[in-house]
Amino acid sequence: MPRVFRAPGRINLIGGHLDYNEGWVLPIAIDRSCFLAAKARNDRLLRIHSVQMQETFECHLDDPRPQQHHWSNYVRGVAWALREAGQSIAGADLLISNDVPMGAGLSSSAALEVSAGFALLRLSDLKMDRVQLARICQRAENEYVGMRCGIMDQLVACCGRRAHALLIDCRTLEIEPVPFDDSSVAVVVANTMVKHALAASSEYNRRRTECDDAVARIRAVRPNVKTLRDVSWPEIQQMASTWPNDIRRRARHVTTEMLRVHAAAAALRKGDFAELGRLISEAHVSLDTDYEVSSVELNLMVALAQQIPGLLGARMTGAGFGGCTINLTGPNDAAEFAAKLAESYEEKTSIKPDVYVCRASDGVEEIV
Ligand code: GLA
């Protein structure tokens, strides 16, 4: 009998592009998951079948070469990173069905990595701390797949908690679960159905370089600064008059977003959802104008949401350049809000969006 595992996708309430700046983020693991049926083998083969890709891929565990741009790299990369970390995993047959939409900003790739890593460990009777597993999956994506992502997505897929958001300090990797109870507040996810995949990975890596550039300029004056977490926007303003405009605006997004995350966590702890919504909407403007990672479709989805009664706040989620927005509403308004948003987006674009209410769910687990 195969064993069955699941790892969730995620939305990030606030803290866009802060993880790789060692800032704070406030994500939720959602009730859309990557499901994986797994059987140990007694040789060193990894046989992976993806239901979505309708393809089977076979490789040897001892062959560390990635296949250019192939979906199997997410799984092979995790197997490689586990072995690099000294874990003696055995071969396996893996059947993958990923319920997290791909390229939608909901972290389907982290859900795949984490479910695969967890399954490969369990099949070989190996145990690992969840934060360490997240780091290994991030390493796979950074070094094997070639995307310089931060730690947020893998950490949420590992450590998500039902009915909670996670306040994560991306410097120390400390996690504070903050109650996010669906009897008080709802999150509606709205997929624009448009992805700008090429822009997404190259622009994402470029944003990281731009942040590094800002840090290098600051360090020329203040050598103790390690990342943008260590400075405030007023401090930067005093030294940034000669900086290129883009770099200054990237730094403004990052440093002001840090403050918004703390304010949002405080609002959530108090149950002040109006304030949480206001901060989420403010974050969208900053991501759009200062960080420039939104898109025409994301901005349209947010603008349409703002015309519907019951909205507390809306913003893009994930890396950007397409994918999903998140919309905060009261629990009783959510279903009607979702229907209206879907209708008005379709009316404007002739694209039928996927719009649904999501629930905060647990991290990776074995389910059968
Ligand atoms: C992607 C990355 C994350 C994070 C977000 C932006 O999802 O994988 O590490 O940087 O973008 O917040």
Side-chain angles (χ1 to χ4, degrees):
M1 268 290 282
R3 293 163 70 175
V4 182
F5 302 86
R6 68 162 270 282
R10 63 100 191 89
I11 56 111
N12 187 17
L13 285 173
I14 198 158
H17 289 264
L18 290 196
D19 57 353
Y20 54 82
N21 287 298
E22 296 190 339
W24 293 264
V25 292
L26 191 63
I28 288 175
I30 58 173
D31 49 354
R32 291 241 173 153
S33 297
C34 179
F35 295 92
L36 196 144
K39 243 166 79 179
R41 299 176 59 95
N42 42 25
D43 56 22
R44 303 201 48 76
L45 271 189
L46 208 50
R47 277 182 64 219
I48 321 165
H49 180 82
S50 159
V51 171
Q52 278 71 32
M53 296 302 184
Q54 300 187 345
E55 196 185 354
T56 304
F57 188 86
E58 213 169 271
C59 64
H60 203 273
L61 269 180
D62 302 318
D63 173 10
R65 282 167 305 172
Q67 276 258 17
Q68 267 236 319
H69 303 301
H70 199 264
W71 60 267
S72 65
N73 286 346
Y74 292 104
V75 179
R76 302 180 61 199
V78 169
W80 163 80
L82 282 170
R83 296 191 59 229
E84 285 277 298
Q87 302 291 327
S88 44
I89 49 168
D93 289 338
L94 306 176
L95 171 66
I96 298 159
S97 181
N98 205 337
D99 191 27
V100 186
M102 261 188 302
L106 301 179
S107 265
S108 62
S109 48
L112 173 54
E113 290 155 4
V114 168
S115 57
F118 193 80
L120 289 172
L121 287 167
R122 284 291 167 96
L123 291 183
S124 295
D125 281 329
L126 297 167
K127 282 235 161 76
M128 184 181 279
D129 170 72
R130 284 173 182 249
V131 174
Q132 199 194 339
L133 176 59
R135 280 184 192 277
I136 282 175
C137 293
Q138 183 200 16
R139 179 168 186 212
E141 191 153 342
N142 288 171
E143 294 179 33
Y144 201 90
V145 177
M147 164 84 176
R148 291 183 66 200
C149 66
I151 186 77
M152 170 174 71
D153 304 345
Q154 291 78 9
L155 208 51
V156 188
C158 285
C159 303
R161 170 100 71 99
R162 181 185 301 232
H164 286 77
L166 304 180
L167 177 63
I168 304 174
D169 178 336
C170 297
R171 175 169 277 172
T172 63
L173 300 191
E174 251 173 88
I175 301 176
E176 178 195 336
V178 186
F180 191 89
D181 180 357
D182 60 13
S183 65
S184 335
V185 67
V187 175
V188 176
V189 175
N191 191 343
T192 61
M193 314 306 272
V194 180
K195 34 185 164 179
H196 304 281
L198 276 180
S201 62
S202 60
E203 287 294 320
Y204 183 91
N205 288 346
R206 186 189 315 218
R207 290 299 172 279
R208 291 204 58 158
T209 310
E210 289 167 340
C211 291
D212 293 345
D213 181 328
V215 171
R217 288 166 192 277
I218 297 165
R219 281 172 63 88
V221 191
R222 284 181 50 190
N224 290 340
V225 165
K226 229 183 110 214
T227 67
L228 287 174
R229 173 198 177 116
D230 302 320
V231 269
S232 68
W233 173 238
E235 287 168 334
I236 291 177
Q237 268 177 307
Q238 286 176 7
M239 49 181 121
S241 58
T242 56
W243 291 14
N245 195 23
D246 282 1
I247 306 294
R248 193 167 51 241
R249 283 187 294 132
R250 306 300 184 246
R252 179 164 64 184
H253 164 71
V254 171
T255 49
T256 58
E257 184 84 346
M258 304 252 183
L259 300 177
R260 281 188 289 274
V261 177
H262 292 300
L268 185 54
R269 285 188 206 102
K270 278 196 294 195
D272 186 349
F273 301 115
E275 174 65 359
L276 178 62
R278 191 189 66 72
L279 290 159
I280 285 175
S281 295
E282 211 175 279
H284 181 77
V285 176
S286 181
L287 285 164
D288 180 28
T289 59
D290 273 352
Y291 218 62
E292 295 184 287
V293 291
S294 188
S295 69
V296 174
E297 299 81 12
L298 286 166
N299 288 350
L300 174 67
M301 192 68 95
V302 166
L304 293 172
Q306 278 158 351
Q307 289 161 23
I308 303 172
L311 179 78
L312 297 167
R315 68 171 279 247
M316 52 154 280
T317 195
F321 309 101
C324 291
T325 66
I326 54 158
N327 302 268
L328 203 70
T329 72
N332 302 324
D333 298 330
E336 202 182 328
F337 174 90
K340 284 194 174 142
L341 184 56
E343 193 186 304
S344 62
Y345 185 78
E346 188 174 355
E347 213 175 275
K348 281 270 189 261
T349 60
S350 307
I351 302 171
K352 208 177 174 52
D354 199 6
V355 183
Y356 50 91
V357 183
C358 78
R359 271 181 194 184
S361 82
D362 283 329
V364 64
E365 61 189 336
E366 181 163 3
I367 49 179
V368 180

